[in-house]
Amino acid sequence: FIKPDAIREAATRRNESLDGLARTLGISDRHFYRLLAGKVVPSPRTRANICRKLGLRFDDVFEIRSELPKVPS
């Protein structure tokens, strides 16, 4: 799961809005906000992209949880 506070801090440091940060990361605003809300788990490629483009380590941005997000039926 993503650590939303770490992402918000990264956006602030970069002087970027969250929408701008989503564009920088190459993902849609909708998907980005779902990531921040913990509704979706980012793919390995997206996780690597977030870390690389923000210059952060995996542990700075993500945490491992045993539960998965609930999928609407």
Side-chain angles (χ1 to χ4, degrees):
F1 287 89
I2 205 162
K3 295 178 181 176
D5 290 340
I7 297 298
R8 287 185 181 94
E9 288 172 18
T12 300
R13 276 195 312 276
R14 296 170 59 93
N15 250 354
E16 247 181 310
S17 67
L18 290 177
D19 291 343
L21 191 55
R23 283 190 296 278
T24 296
L25 297 172
I27 56 180
S28 72
D29 295 351
R30 182 174 186 232
H31 186 67
F32 185 64
Y33 285 104
R34 290 177 54 80
L35 287 171
L36 290 179
K39 296 186 186 252
V40 294
V41 177
S43 69
R45 177 180 278 168
T46 299
R47 290 190 299 258
N49 191 36
I50 289 170
C51 291
R52 184 177 56 255
K53 290 198 174 181
L54 298 181
L56 298 171
R57 296 176 325 173
F58 180 88
D59 292 342
D60 294 333
V61 183
F62 299 99
E63 62 185 342
I64 305 300
R65 294 185 194 167
S66 58
E67 75 272 4
L68 294 174
K70 295 181 181 179
V71 177
S73 49

